[in-house]
Amino acid sequence: MLLPNNLVFNMRFRMVLSILAVILIAEVGAAQTPAASISKPAIDPNGESGYRALLSRGYTPLFNGQDLTGWRNPYPHGEAKVVDGEIHLLADKKFFLVTEKTYSDFRVSVEIHLPEGPANSGVMFRCHVDDDAEKKVYGYQAECDGSDRRWSGGFFDEARRRWIWPSTKGRSTDQFLAHAEESQQFFATPRVRNALNRNGWNRYEITCLKDVIRIEVNGVETVRFRDATDASGYIGIQHHGEAGQTYRFRNLFIKELPEIPADRHVALTEQQPVSIKRINETVTQIDFGKAAFGNIVMPVPPGRGTASVHFGEKLKDGRIDQTPPGTVRYGMTPIRLGQQLGNWVVPAPVDTRNVAQSGLMNANPPAVLTPPAWQSVMPFRWVEIEGVAADFPFDLVRRRAAYSATWNDDASAFECSDETLNRIWDLCKYSIKATTFAGVYVDGDRERIPYEADAYLNQLSHYTTDDDVQMAARTFDWLMENGTWPSEWSPHMVFMAHAEWMYSGDTEWLKHRYESLKSKTLMHRSGDDGLVRSDEADQNRHDIVDWPKQERDGFVFTEINTVVNAFHIKAMEQMEEMARAIGKQADAEAFAARVKLARASFQDKLFDQDAGIYRDGIGTDHSSVHANFFPLAFGLVPAEQRDGVLSWLKQKKMQCSVYAAQYFMDALFTAGAGQKALDLILADGDRSWKHMADSGTTISWEAWEMKYKPNQDWNHAWGAAPANLLPRHVLGAQPRTPGWTTATIRPCPGKLMLAHGKVPTPRGPVEIDWTNKATFNLSLSLPEGMSAVVELPAPDDSTGVFVDGAPRAAIQRGDRWHVDGEVTGSVRFEVK
């Protein structure tokens, strides 16, 4: 039956239909531009790349490509045979080929090629078989509709309730007819109506998790529905019964859910207390020095009755705060006193939101689970054991803290002449380590789900703090299957793929994921001028700009806004670059043309010539910091306008959240205002990382202070941006070419007197040591197989660059000396 949240469901699709009105306009215009070839994923005609891609993403084949092992035909009619690695179905009456095994929660992927002429097929899932019935196979089906009706991707209930979404009179039960009009309108919109390639291969992806069902056709979501009729069943494929027709299927894969990445990629580390204090006659407080996700193991306390273990992130008046603000964590677990010998694990209390696999329809994807064998974990620094005698061996209590199994504390280092900056580095580096507990990047402990923007910031900082980083690629795959709703979060998936490629240089990994990224550029919302449109629902909910809302510097939302379009253009630029890297030259040229069009429109329509800065959007004269630092960070500001935008931004304070500050600081460092960036990082007041470090927290916060986000948590790695800003900009090491074959060394010293450190790369560490006194001196050590292009600060009175004591050709451009050629190995530079 349909669960009693029809109201939520119907409200959601009324909103979707308003969005699709904008999509209709956008796609009509885009059809006459190069966008037509790059607006949605393409499927390889021979299927080989799709096969390898699914294996790469952790899927298990349902079909071995050789025979029909694992499948059966419950009908007396119909023929199924294997031809060139495909399953071909032939019949003159309807039949289904089904798996021999049943499945419950999963994501299944199947490619279908319909025959010419009248044709109808589909993928059965959680379906049932009654060998004694005439209609032997019944249950859920994802429709593959070859007719002019074009309901491909629809949700059908074979031999039972028939059409669920869309629904239609005479072919649906009454409970589904309530949304007949809106569901049919939904399938009439171009993006959904044209999702199926009628004369080619089509990829169907169906996700079932608890009662939530999603269907996607060629990357277009056609169904998101709740139905609890079936919790498990078979997978099946259909021949509709047209005589002489051959239906073709290939690349049949499944990934059973839930995935628990920490099973293989995270280890528990037992940690001793830093201090133990008897609070009163019944309570002992244990401090582990820093917060971590975990639980405790302790000897069994003697006696009868029960005691309590209190876990907390925050103290109040010297005790664990049992009513902390926001999502700062506290919990209590009762324990039994007994006569047993040995130790037992005391699990942390379970927050149901952190294990939810199917939340509200229009809310969160599934939470990332931790291994059941661990028992439950939570972030805490202190425990208070209440009700255990004072002579108990509290020094034997251990915290079992969860960190990435490959984390290397010695992989990275940073130290400079400002002690506060050093404390900020320590805080932010540990924040990245502490939040690796789930095996993929999650948004702290409030929801324990990945979000695209959070994950990208985590990724940048993980690369600069650890030397064996596979978590970024895992998180990317997770988010491609469990995406969230904000507009700008979608292009972050392109950023994540590009960053992973630049870090690893792995073009095979990129090839397996490139096509799916086309749906993440927001191209489907762009018009014939190349700019993305935002309808009312986008402006009210999907367009984030910054979070929480009060951090938006008064941003005015309009149909065409600067921030969303800056993300769109940057994502397309990176898609062009990645397309060239994997040999997709036609795509690269199409992206390049689209970027050129969008850049021209962006500058013409969104730049205020009189003020010399960008407006928030078309139809407003308001200019927020976000409308200016995002374009500057993304390299979208023309050279002749850059100084004006930078000058304006240098007058501003930290008028954004800890998330957007990543981009604000990137913009300032890259544009030559490194000292301004350091001033903001180190500013007095409560809107800086200095304030965060001075607070005593040991993991970065989700916001600058509780008053800016009352529900914030204290274990949120998107607040740890200096973990990448300091190595990338102050030390100055960044990849220039994929896989760090070439690096850019571009230190931004500002007023700092010295800095030294170690930046991990897949080829080994880059070691940098510079002093900024009467002259600027830099010692650089590169790992084998890496060369570097070097850009050094150019003080006003400097005349040239010396390398290992000898003059070296260099060109001064603005405030930088660009050293001629590339260097390798260990090199000393001096700017005189």
Side-chain angles (χ1 to χ4, degrees):
M1 67 175 182
L2 186 68
L3 292 186
N5 59 359
N6 285 332
L7 181 60
V8 173
F9 174 80
N10 290 332
M11 287 177 63
R12 176 183 184 272
F13 275 101
R14 277 193 289 273
M15 178 180 72
V16 168
L17 289 171
S18 66
I19 297 171
L20 289 167
V22 172
I23 294 173
L24 172 60
I25 295 170
E27 291 203 355
V28 168
Q32 306 304 317
T33 73
S37 65
I38 51 174
S39 60
K40 63 181 181 179
I43 298 179
D44 182 8
N46 65 28
E48 180 63 24
S49 63
Y51 183 87
R52 293 196 306 270
L54 288 162
L55 286 178
S56 172
R57 290 161 50 198
Y59 282 74
T60 300
L62 286 169
F63 165 53
N64 63 21
Q66 304 297 320
D67 56 44
L68 294 175
T69 300
W71 293 81
R72 73 184 183 101
N73 177 6
Y75 297 83
H77 59 271
E79 178 186 2
K81 60 183 180 180
V82 177
V83 180
D84 297 330
E86 301 173 4
I87 297 177
H88 289 192
L89 300 185
L90 303 89
D92 56 7
K93 289 193 296 183
K94 180 191 291 189
F95 85 102
F96 298 89
L97 189 71
V98 297
T99 58
E100 294 176 349
K101 179 181 175 182
T102 61
Y103 300 90
S104 297
D105 291 345
F106 53 81
R107 185 174 174 91
V108 69
S109 181
V110 177
E111 291 181 14
I112 305 175
H113 195 301
L114 294 177
E116 295 181 2
N120 183 286
S121 185
V123 180
M124 302 294 291
F125 57 97
R126 285 184 176 173
C127 70
H128 307 281
V129 177
D130 183 346
D131 289 300
D132 297 326
E134 180 181 356
K135 295 182 177 180
K136 298 180 183 299
V137 176
Y138 62 95
Y140 296 155
Q141 182 186 92
E143 179 79 4
C144 186
D145 183 3
S147 73
D148 291 339
R149 180 183 55 185
R150 298 191 188 184
W151 282 3
S152 288
F155 185 18
F156 190 75
D157 194 3
E158 175 73 25
R160 287 193 307 199
R161 298 168 296 171
R162 298 175 292 175
W163 282 106
I164 295 177
W165 178 269
S167 56
T168 183
K169 189 174 182 180
R171 299 203 65 197
S172 301
T173 56
D174 290 345
Q175 68 186 119
F176 304 124
L177 288 177
H179 58 242
E181 181 178 355
E182 56 192 347
S183 62
Q184 291 182 39
Q185 288 179 16
F186 177 78
F187 273 80
T189 56
R191 184 164 167 79
V192 178
R193 178 177 173 81
N194 298 328
L196 187 81
N197 177 6
R198 178 60 183 86
N199 298 309
W201 284 100
N202 297 274
R203 179 175 294 114
Y204 274 67
E205 294 181 310
I206 302 135
T207 304
C208 295
L209 193 56
K210 304 302 181 184
D211 64 336
V212 175
I213 295 166
R214 290 171 52 209
I215 300 173
E216 300 158 81
V217 180
N218 296 327
V220 176
E221 184 177 275
T222 57
V223 169
R224 183 186 291 262
F225 210 86
R226 301 192 85 115
D227 192 82
T229 301
D230 295 313
S232 65
Y234 301 99
I235 308 296
I237 51 179
Q238 178 190 27
H239 191 296
H240 197 253
E242 297 85 358
Q245 297 283 51
T246 299
Y247 290 79
R248 299 162 61 191
F249 302 84
R250 71 182 189 192
N251 290 342
L252 296 92
F253 280 83
I254 195 164
K255 180 186 287 185
E256 295 192 72
L257 303 175
E259 290 184 273
I260 305 180
D263 259 333
R264 290 175 292 146
H265 304 292
V266 179
L268 296 177
T269 300
E270 289 198 0
Q271 298 173 324
Q272 299 182 31
V274 171
S275 67
I276 300 170
K277 179 169 61 176
R278 189 72 172 173
I279 298 293
N280 55 41
E281 292 182 356
T282 61
V283 177
T284 298
Q285 184 183 90
I286 299 175
D287 181 6
F288 289 96
K290 292 181 178 181
F293 285 80
N295 49 41
I296 66 169
V297 60
M298 60 184 287
V300 179
R304 293 184 177 179
T306 61
S308 302
V309 176
H310 302 263
F311 300 83
E313 283 186 290
K314 180 179 178 293
L315 293 185
K316 182 178 181 180
D317 299 326
R319 296 290 303 277
I320 289 177
D321 189 345
Q322 297 189 12
T323 56
T327 317
V328 179
R329 288 306 190 198
Y330 162 76
M332 187 275 290
T333 300
I335 58 174
R336 298 188 311 277
L337 305 180
Q339 302 303 319
Q340 305 99 313
L341 298 176
N343 297 331
W344 58 21
V345 172
V346 181
V350 176
D351 186 311
T352 55
R353 191 173 185 182
N354 290 343
V355 296
Q357 296 296 286
S358 57
L360 295 176
M361 177 58 63
N362 200 27
N364 298 336
V368 181
L369 303 180
T370 52
W374 289 5
Q375 302 191 53
S376 56
V377 299
M378 67 176 279
F380 67 95
R381 173 177 172 177
W382 294 274
V383 296
E384 289 178 357
I385 301 177
E386 182 178 11
V388 174
D391 60 355
F392 178 79
F394 293 102
D395 59 321
L396 297 181
V397 176
R398 297 289 182 267
R399 179 171 65 185
R400 304 194 314 160
Y403 305 115
S404 169
T406 58
W407 182 271
N408 178 9
D409 279 322
D410 297 325
S412 62
F414 175 87
E415 189 174 13
C416 70
S417 52
D418 189 294
E419 184 53 36
T420 301
L421 211 55
N422 296 337
R423 290 192 293 115
I424 291 170
W425 160 258
D426 290 340
L427 166 66
C428 293
K429 175 180 176 177
Y430 179 73
S431 298
I432 301 303
K433 175 182 178 179
T435 53
T436 60
F437 75 98
V440 292
Y441 306 133
V442 297
D443 74 321
D445 200 51
R446 185 173 60 254
E447 297 160 323
R448 290 198 196 173
I449 68 172
Y451 282 92
E452 293 86 342
D454 304 52
Y456 177 62
L457 270 59
N458 279 202
Q459 175 183 22
L460 293 180
S461 292
H462 200 174
Y463 289 157
T464 55
T465 52
D466 198 4
D467 60 2
D468 185 3
V469 181
Q470 301 173 43
M471 193 172 292
R474 285 198 302 275
T475 307
F476 173 88
D477 285 344
W478 181 286
L479 279 164
M480 288 300 292
E481 297 174 0
N482 299 283
T484 64
W485 64 91
S487 297
E488 300 96 309
W489 278 205
S490 189
H492 271 96
M493 294 304 298
V494 180
F495 295 2
M496 286 191 74
H498 187 271
E500 172 63 18
W501 169 58
M502 289 297 292
Y503 173 79
S504 69
D506 189 345
T507 54
E508 281 302 306
W509 181 90
L510 183 60
K511 285 178 182 177
H512 298 330
R513 291 154 178 83
Y514 165 81
E515 287 294 338
S516 62
L517 284 170
K518 290 180 178 177
S519 65
K520 299 296 183 180
T521 64
L522 303 179
M523 185 82 72
H524 62 281
R525 283 171 49 183
S526 67
D528 57 8
D529 58 359
L531 297 181
V532 169
R533 269 67 177 167
S534 298
D535 78 342
E536 184 177 351
D538 294 320
Q539 295 174 45
N540 291 334
R541 172 173 168 77
H542 303 129
D543 296 354
I544 290 293
V545 175
D546 205 347
W547 195 260
K549 294 179 179 180
Q550 55 266 39
E551 295 284 16
R552 292 169 175 166
D553 193 33
F555 187 90
V556 177
F557 288 84
T558 60
E559 181 188 13
I560 299 177
N561 83 61
T562 304
V563 171
V564 168
N565 276 285
F567 274 93
H568 170 57
I569 296 170
K570 185 62 177 178
M572 290 196 299
E573 287 185 342
Q574 292 189 346
M575 288 297 290
E576 176 196 347
E577 190 178 351
M578 291 186 289
R580 293 192 192 281
I582 63 173
K584 299 267 188 178
Q585 295 303 324
D587 276 7
E589 295 305 322
F591 276 119
R594 194 70 180 177
V595 167
K596 182 178 180 181
L597 172 68
R599 269 181 170 267
S601 298
F602 186 85
Q603 191 64 22
D604 178 56
K605 298 182 178 182
L606 296 169
F607 189 74
D608 185 335
Q609 293 287 350
D610 294 333
I613 54 176
Y614 291 91
R615 305 180 184 93
D616 292 347
I618 295 177
T620 179
D621 290 328
H622 185 266
S623 295
S624 64
V625 292
H626 304 74
N628 288 275
F629 67 65
F630 279 116
L632 188 60
F634 295 158
L636 304 183
V637 184
E640 62 272 19
Q641 310 292 352
R642 200 170 298 139
D643 287 347
V645 171
L646 180 61
S647 177
W648 185 81
L649 284 171
K650 286 170 70 175
Q651 307 306 310
K652 302 298 179 178
K653 297 181 180 179
M654 193 73 84
Q655 295 165 220
C656 61
S657 75
V658 293
Y659 147 69
Q662 168 80 55
Y663 295 99
F664 193 5
M665 300 304 99
D666 266 332
L668 293 172
F669 277 121
T670 303
Q675 185 56 49
K676 172 64 176 180
L678 291 172
D679 289 343
L680 290 173
I681 291 171
L682 294 167
D684 293 327
D686 60 7
R687 298 184 66 81
S688 71
W689 278 284
K690 176 179 182 289
H691 169 68
M692 206 180 292
D694 287 347
S695 74
T697 186
T698 58
I699 305 180
S700 55
W701 295 342
E702 186 183 5
W704 297 121
E705 245 308 344
M706 299 300 299
K707 66 183 179 183
Y708 301 116
K709 194 174 193 299
N711 72 334
Q712 76 151 313
D713 58 40
W714 276 14
N715 44 70
H716 207 107
W718 86 343
N724 74 76
L725 293 170
L726 299 179
R728 291 171 55 240
H729 295 298
V730 175
L731 291 180
Q734 299 195 48
R736 187 179 184 87
T737 53
W740 283 86
T741 54
T742 308
T744 296
I745 306 299
R746 184 184 178 275
C748 300
K751 297 176 183 177
L752 296 173
M753 301 301 292
L754 61 88
H756 57 87
K758 182 166 56 173
V759 182
T761 82
R763 297 178 180 273
V766 174
E767 297 187 53
I768 296 173
D769 187 340
W770 57 251
T771 58
N772 182 33
K773 298 178 182 177
T775 62
F776 184 86
N777 292 270
L778 181 145
S779 293
L780 172 66
S781 178
L782 301 172
E784 187 175 349
M786 183 188 299
S787 60
V789 172
V790 179
E791 302 176 19
L792 299 171
D796 292 339
D797 57 352
S798 62
T799 59
V801 176
F802 289 74
V803 176
D804 291 334
R808 180 72 171 261
I811 299 174
Q812 185 174 359
R813 298 192 185 105
D815 62 354
R816 291 274 159 184
W817 284 106
H818 293 249
V819 179
D820 186 46
E822 298 178 2
V823 299
T824 59
S826 295
V827 192
R828 290 182 297 107
F829 298 87
E830 184 177 15
V831 178
K832 292 186 177 181

